[in-house]
């Protein structure tokens, strides 16, 4: 605490230099120019103290230095010095380190403020003074510490041997640094420093098995998709989207919030239901590894995923899809409640799980409806929803047919009804038949009056040769 002694010596020296300066000049209080010489003496004293304070790195202002030199009495200065020595001595009697230095400085500053024997100006000076003079009295010798740690590390008495099959850590235990290091060394944790090749090989083999299952299924039961590069790209994109969503969401709530049903429903709508069931199983098994084998997620994904594929396979309206989303959420709730009964879960777990899986079903349907238009457009896929849109009477081409060829329009509606009934009887795509029937005669828009159903008065064919008449009639297919 030499800086404290140097500070007060500098203050006393500066104050004493005023009297010495006046005595050397032979100036007394009765002299005519006393005030002028006094002012000069004080300025020199202030400059001298300013230099000393700057060298000591004590952050005092010019007003505070002026106050110490010219304003306070010797008694006040002595009292201030005594209080400062006592407070600093008390602080240094305790352990002061780099980590608690700020606490000690704050405590000293509070002690200054509670002192009654000094002015507020001196208290403020004391606050600045302790910042500069108080230093740590306990410093860690890093070299000696490292040496002691190495000696302890090499000491056989400190080596802990863990027997085979013994428990290292249990559920609820505090994970200390030594236990964490032990788990890492036994390759029971994923660490950056030690890559787990066996783990990666196991994951790769599982992925190859799942991919092989899809390939075999496509080749044997869906050869059309297997040979269609566009459909394979669509399938890969859907699977990738679900895996990315799972990777982003799996840390939250044991994987029950992962919208795995989106992939199943998209495949069911855009490709076919049988493939959707297989993809659902593949995704569920794959993601269950990601979520550390959560049984509740695995069972819910396998059962409710298949149900979601059935729910959307006959959906022909987006409003119906929305209602199916609510229904899927309710099915999820029933299943997860049953699983929680099996696992003896408490009421809080049942409620929170139910909320999570209900929202999962609802959000999955919302995402499915959101992805559908994009995928339909990019991959040029005709879905039941797309067929409904183009079969709408407000379609521009159908409106033209109604206005310019009303007879053909009525004929197309009748053919659509007949085609739909016939296609349903043979198990075909009735909606596709209806849409095709609506547009099968749009070529007649080019010459509507040349066809009987649109003729109101005369028949133009009466003035034409049979060959030309035949050519005009048969050309409507090409025109369409």
């Amino acid at each position: 605490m030499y800086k404290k002694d140097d500070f007060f010596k500098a203050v006393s020296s500066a104050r004493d230099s005023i009297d010495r300066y006046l005595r050397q000049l032979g100036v007394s209080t009765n002299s005519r120019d006393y005030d002028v010489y006094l002012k000069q003496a004080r300025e020199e004293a202030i400059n001298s103290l300013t230099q000393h304070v700057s060298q000591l790195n004590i952050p005092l202002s010019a007003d505070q230095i002026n106050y110490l030199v010219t304003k306070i009495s010797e008694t006040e200065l002595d009292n201030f010095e005594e209080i400062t020595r006592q407070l600093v001595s008390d602080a240094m009697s305790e352990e002061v380190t780099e980590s608690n230095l700020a606490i000690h400085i704050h405590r000293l500053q509070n002690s200054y403020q509670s002192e009654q024997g000094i002015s507020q100006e001196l208290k403020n000076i004391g606050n600045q003074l302790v910042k500069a003079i108080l230093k740590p009295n306990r410093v860690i010798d890093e070299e000696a510490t490292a040496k002691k740690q190495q000696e302890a590390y090499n000491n056989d008495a400190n080596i802990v041997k863990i027997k085979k099959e013994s428990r290292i850590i249990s559920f609820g235990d505090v994970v200390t640094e030594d236990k964490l290091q032990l788990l890492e060394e036994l390759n029971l944790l994923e660490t950056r420093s030690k890559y787990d090749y066996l783990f990666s090989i196991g994951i790769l083999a599982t992925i190859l098995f799942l991919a092989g299952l899809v390939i075999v299924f496509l080749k044997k039961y869906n050869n059309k998709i297997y040979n269609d590069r566009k459909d394979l790209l669509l399938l890969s994109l859907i699977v990738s989207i679900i895996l990315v969503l799972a990777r982003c969401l799996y840390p939250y709530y044991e994987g029950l919030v992962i919208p795995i049903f989106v992939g199943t429903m998209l495949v069911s709508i855009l490709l076919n239901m049988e493939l959707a069931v297989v993809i659902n199983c593949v995704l569920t098994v794959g993601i269950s590894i990601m979520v550390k084998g959560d049984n509740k997620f695995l069972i819910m994904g396998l059962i409710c995923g298949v149900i979601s594929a059935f729910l959307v396979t006959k959906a022909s309206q987006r409003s119906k899809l929305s209602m199916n989303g609510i229904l899927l959420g309710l099915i999820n709730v029933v299943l997860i409640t049953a699983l929680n009964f099996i696992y003896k879960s408490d009421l809080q777990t049942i409620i929170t799980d139910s909320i999570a899986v209900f929202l999962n079903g609802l959000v999955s349907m919302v995402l499915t409806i959101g992805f559908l238009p994009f995928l339909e457009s990019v991959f040029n896929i005709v879905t039941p929803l797309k067929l409904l849109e183009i079969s709408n009477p407000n379609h521009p081409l159908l409106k033209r047919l109604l206005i310019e060829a009303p007879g053909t329009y009525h004929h197309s509606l009748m053919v659509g009804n007949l085609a739909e009934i016939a296609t349903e009887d043979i198990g075909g795509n009735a909606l596709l038949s209806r849409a095709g029937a609506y547009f099968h005669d749009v070529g007649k828009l080019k010459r509507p009056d040349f066809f009987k159903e649109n003729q109101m008065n005369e028949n133009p064919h009466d003035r034409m040769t049979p060959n030309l008449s035949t050519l005009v009639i048969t050309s409507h297919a090409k025109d369409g």
Side-chain angles (χ1 to χ4, degrees):
M1 294 297 95
Y2 298 109
K3 187 178 291 189
K4 167 173 57 63
D5 297 333
D6 292 341
F7 171 74
F8 284 107
K9 286 179 180 179
V11 173
S12 298
S13 177
R15 290 168 62 87
D16 293 341
S17 68
I18 297 174
D19 293 334
R20 287 197 305 271
Y21 182 81
L22 294 175
R23 283 198 301 270
Q24 289 175 359
L25 295 177
V27 178
S28 65
T29 55
N30 297 325
S31 300
R32 184 179 60 181
D33 296 329
Y34 175 77
D35 292 337
V36 176
Y37 292 116
L38 178 61
K39 183 179 179 181
Q40 293 177 355
R42 286 179 173 178
E43 288 177 353
E44 291 186 7
I46 290 172
N47 291 335
S48 175
L49 183 57
T50 301
Q51 292 178 359
H52 280 92
V53 167
S54 177
Q55 293 172 358
L56 295 172
N57 293 322
I58 300 174
L60 296 183
S61 65
D63 290 338
Q64 289 174 326
I65 293 174
N66 182 57
Y67 181 80
L68 288 171
V69 173
T70 64
K71 301 294 178 64
I72 63 173
S73 64
E74 290 294 333
T75 303
E76 288 177 314
L77 181 60
D78 292 341
N79 191 25
F80 176 57
E81 182 178 359
E82 183 180 352
I83 291 172
T84 301
R85 291 182 183 278
Q86 183 62 45
L87 291 177
V88 172
S89 177
D90 292 342
M92 294 304 293
S93 64
E94 301 178 12
E95 183 174 330
V96 181
T97 63
E98 289 288 347
S99 60
N100 66 11
L101 177 61
I103 297 174
H104 282 284
I105 290 175
H106 182 69
R107 188 183 301 168
L108 277 178
Q109 291 174 340
N110 289 336
S111 299
Y112 269 119
Q113 298 302 320
S114 62
E115 287 291 340
Q116 302 295 326
I118 56 177
S119 64
Q120 185 60 46
E121 289 81 359
L122 289 176
K123 292 179 181 179
N124 295 337
I125 293 172
N127 289 342
Q128 301 299 325
L129 185 60
V130 294
K131 288 182 181 179
I133 65 176
L134 195 62
K135 300 296 179 184
N137 57 15
R138 297 289 188 277
V139 179
I140 297 175
D141 188 336
E142 299 291 347
E143 184 178 349
T145 301
K147 183 178 179 181
K148 290 290 185 181
Q149 288 175 341
Q150 188 63 36
E151 291 176 356
Y153 183 81
N154 295 328
N155 191 346
D156 292 339
N158 295 326
I159 297 177
V160 178
K161 295 182 180 180
I162 303 200
K163 296 181 179 179
K164 185 179 180 180
E165 304 298 333
S166 62
R167 178 175 295 176
I168 299 172
I169 193 168
S170 301
F171 179 79
D173 289 353
V174 177
V175 182
T176 57
E177 187 174 351
D178 56 337
K179 290 183 178 180
L180 182 63
Q181 183 180 358
L182 182 59
L183 292 172
E184 290 178 348
E185 291 178 353
L186 291 175
N187 207 22
L188 297 176
L189 291 178
E190 296 180 13
T191 61
R192 296 179 181 177
S193 59
K194 189 176 182 181
Y195 189 79
D196 193 345
Y197 290 99
L198 293 178
F199 178 81
S200 299
I201 291 172
I203 292 293
L204 178 61
T206 304
I207 292 174
L208 291 176
F209 273 117
L210 294 175
L213 173 65
V214 176
I215 292 171
V216 170
F217 177 81
L218 288 174
K219 189 171 180 60
K220 189 172 181 63
Y221 298 103
N222 282 279
N223 204 44
K224 177 181 175 296
I225 297 177
Y226 180 80
N227 293 314
D228 192 327
R229 186 176 301 176
K230 182 185 68 174
D231 288 345
L232 291 177
L233 181 60
L234 172 62
L235 182 61
S236 301
L237 179 61
I238 293 173
V239 171
S240 298
I241 290 173
I242 303 306
L243 291 177
V244 169
L245 286 174
R247 183 65 180 85
C248 295
L249 296 175
Y250 87 90
Y252 305 99
Y253 213 79
E254 300 179 347
L256 293 180
V257 296
I258 296 175
I260 188 175
F261 312 111
V262 176
T264 306
M265 292 188 287
L266 285 175
V267 173
S268 181
I269 295 172
L270 297 173
L271 296 172
N272 65 57
M273 190 193 68
E274 292 80 7
L275 178 59
V277 173
V278 174
I279 291 298
N280 175 73
C281 296
V282 169
L283 283 174
T284 302
V285 173
I287 296 175
S288 68
I289 299 174
M290 187 184 299
V291 297
K292 313 300 183 185
D294 182 3
N295 288 333
K296 288 192 287 189
F297 168 81
L298 180 63
I299 297 172
M300 187 187 76
L302 290 174
I303 296 176
C304 296
V306 174
I307 293 174
S308 69
F310 285 108
L311 287 176
V312 299
T313 187
K314 295 296 183 181
S316 57
Q317 295 180 0
R318 298 190 193 275
S319 59
K320 188 175 180 180
L321 281 179
S322 301
M323 293 304 299
N324 284 338
I326 298 175
L327 178 59
L328 178 60
L330 294 175
I331 293 173
N332 289 345
V333 170
V334 173
L335 180 62
I336 203 67
T337 302
L339 292 175
N340 279 318
F341 287 162
I342 295 174
Y343 292 124
K344 308 295 182 182
S345 302
D346 54 37
L347 181 61
Q348 180 65 32
T349 302
I350 295 174
I351 293 174
T352 50
D353 281 1
S354 299
I355 294 173
V357 297
F358 177 78
L359 293 176
N360 188 349
L362 199 59
V363 171
S364 294
M365 191 61 72
V366 170
L367 291 175
T368 300
I369 296 173
F371 279 123
L372 266 180
F374 169 76
L375 296 176
E376 287 173 354
S377 175
V378 172
F379 292 93
N380 195 26
I381 295 175
V382 179
T383 63
L385 299 175
K386 188 70 174 179
L387 291 173
L388 275 177
E389 290 176 359
I390 65 175
S391 300
N392 192 314
N394 290 320
H395 191 283
L397 196 54
L398 292 180
K399 290 177 73 173
R400 275 193 62 195
L401 197 64
L402 173 62
I403 295 171
E404 300 176 24
T408 301
Y409 177 78
H410 182 265
H411 160 72
S412 298
L413 293 182
M414 294 301 101
V415 173
N417 291 331
L418 293 173
E420 184 177 28
I421 294 171
T423 307
E424 285 179 349
D425 286 344
I426 63 174
N429 190 335
L431 194 54
L432 178 61
S433 296
R434 173 182 284 275
Y438 281 176
F439 290 91
H440 82 283
D441 268 347
V442 292
K444 294 180 179 181
L445 281 171
K446 191 170 184 178
R447 303 178 188 87
D449 295 337
F450 282 79
F451 298 92
K452 187 66 177 177
E453 65 269 20
N454 299 317
Q455 294 171 358
M456 303 297 292
N457 297 312
E458 61 177 6
N459 187 348
H461 291 279
D462 294 340
R463 302 188 302 272
M464 301 168 61
T465 62
N467 289 336
L468 182 59
S469 192
T470 300
L471 181 63
V472 169
I473 291 173
T474 56
S475 65
H476 82 277
K478 182 179 178 181
D479 294 336

